[in-house]
Amino acid sequence: MKRRREMEKGSEIMSAIEELSMMVKLKPSDNHDAADHIPTKPFLYVCNSFIQVLDKIGPTMAVLRHDINQNIQRLEMAHESDPLLNSNLVEILKKEASEGNARKAKSCSKAFLWLTRSMDFTVALLQNLARDPEQSMEEAVEESYNLTLKPWHGWISSAALKVALKLVPDNKTFTNLLMGKDDNYETLKEQMHTFISLLLPFLEEIHSILKVYNLDRLKST
């Protein structure tokens, strides 16, 4: 589920900014309604743009990338089964909560939760790199993982990440890979700051919704 961008040569960060901006525009203008509305398809477009960023880190993110893909597919299937009813992710959460299915392993609610946590990781990583360009990628990835995903992962996932950290590219290689065709580091840095400023309020809103449905403390099994 990807937008076609064959004619564009912008960075993955720029693509993510565009998707986030589109989603903000599609949310209801009324503050109360906006708090209960996460448009499904735009949310999944944003998640796909995150995969493109994580791809630049290489094999280290293979397991996380696989999980993101599976969770995207689960929500895509739910949306396709009833595009009108499931156009709002919050309505999907409500339905599964009322049926007692929200905490089941293959629920859309858990898919939404883990996609959110993947976003938490990505934004933490970009914050680290924007704040300290000299920090090694290995340190930045490990610090971001420890802050966002490790508290919810079992020991097997955590141990696998430790091994995979040896495969991360160096900082310069990663930032060069993130740049668009005609970009430089300063352009990329501006894009990263814009991306973070757009994403943080959105993530704060999502975490508030997850708390309402008692999903925010769930761990992997």
Side-chain angles (χ1 to χ4, degrees):
M1 183 182 185
K2 298 179 182 178
R3 294 191 193 277
R4 295 187 177 276
R5 297 185 180 278
E6 287 86 348
M7 302 303 292
E8 298 181 14
K9 300 296 182 182
S11 70
E12 281 74 13
I13 299 292
M14 199 64 231
S15 296
I17 289 171
E18 291 169 6
E19 301 297 359
L20 278 166
S21 299
M22 182 72 68
M23 186 160 57
V24 170
K25 290 177 183 177
L26 290 173
K27 286 176 68 63
S29 56
D30 181 85
N31 287 338
H32 176 73
D33 290 340
D36 293 320
H37 190 87
I38 304 292
T40 304
K41 287 186 71 174
F43 175 81
L44 295 177
Y45 285 134
V46 170
C47 292
N48 268 306
S49 70
F50 273 68
I51 288 178
Q52 309 311 310
V53 174
L54 293 176
D55 277 347
K56 303 302 183 184
I57 304 176
T60 302
M61 293 294 103
V63 174
L64 180 59
R65 189 191 194 287
H66 176 71
D67 289 345
I68 293 172
N69 262 327
Q70 282 195 324
N71 290 324
I72 288 174
Q73 290 170 13
R74 196 178 304 160
L75 292 177
E76 281 179 346
M77 289 175 63
H79 179 265
E80 290 167 5
S81 69
D82 194 332
L84 184 60
L85 180 65
N86 295 329
S87 63
N88 177 8
L89 280 165
V90 180
E91 291 302 320
I92 297 176
L93 299 185
K94 286 180 182 178
K95 183 174 185 292
E96 289 191 340
S98 67
E99 295 171 346
N101 295 325
R103 291 171 171 261
K104 291 186 177 179
K106 301 298 183 182
S107 71
C108 289
S109 299
K110 290 194 79 171
F112 180 55
L113 169 67
W114 284 102
L115 286 172
T116 301
R117 288 174 175 169
S118 298
M119 288 186 179
D120 290 335
F121 167 79
T122 307
V123 75
L125 176 61
L126 295 178
Q127 281 180 307
N128 278 338
L129 295 175
R131 181 171 55 248
D132 183 7
E134 301 303 318
Q135 184 181 26
S136 74
M137 272 298 293
E138 183 175 339
E139 289 175 347
V141 171
E142 184 172 21
E143 184 178 318
S144 303
Y145 174 79
N146 288 343
L147 179 67
T148 61
L149 291 173
K150 186 176 180 179
W152 316 113
H153 274 170
W155 70 269
I156 294 177
S157 296
S158 297
L161 189 279
K162 276 284 188 183
V163 174
L165 278 174
K166 305 303 178 184
L167 302 174
V168 300
D170 60 71
N171 194 313
K172 185 176 181 181
T173 299
F174 178 65
T175 53
N176 284 340
L177 288 170
L178 279 182
M179 289 181 199
K181 184 179 179 183
D182 301 316
D183 291 342
N184 55 37
Y185 179 71
E186 288 305 315
T187 302
L188 177 63
K189 192 173 180 179
E190 288 178 12
Q191 291 174 357
M192 288 166 66
H193 282 298
T194 300
F195 174 67
I196 291 166
S197 66
L198 281 170
L199 187 59
L200 286 178
F202 177 59
L203 283 173
E204 186 176 329
E205 178 184 335
I206 290 178
H207 281 291
S208 295
I209 291 170
L210 290 170
K211 285 181 181 178
V212 169
Y213 292 94
N214 297 314
L215 296 168
D216 57 310
R217 310 302 295 177
L218 286 183
K219 294 189 177 184
S220 60
T221 54

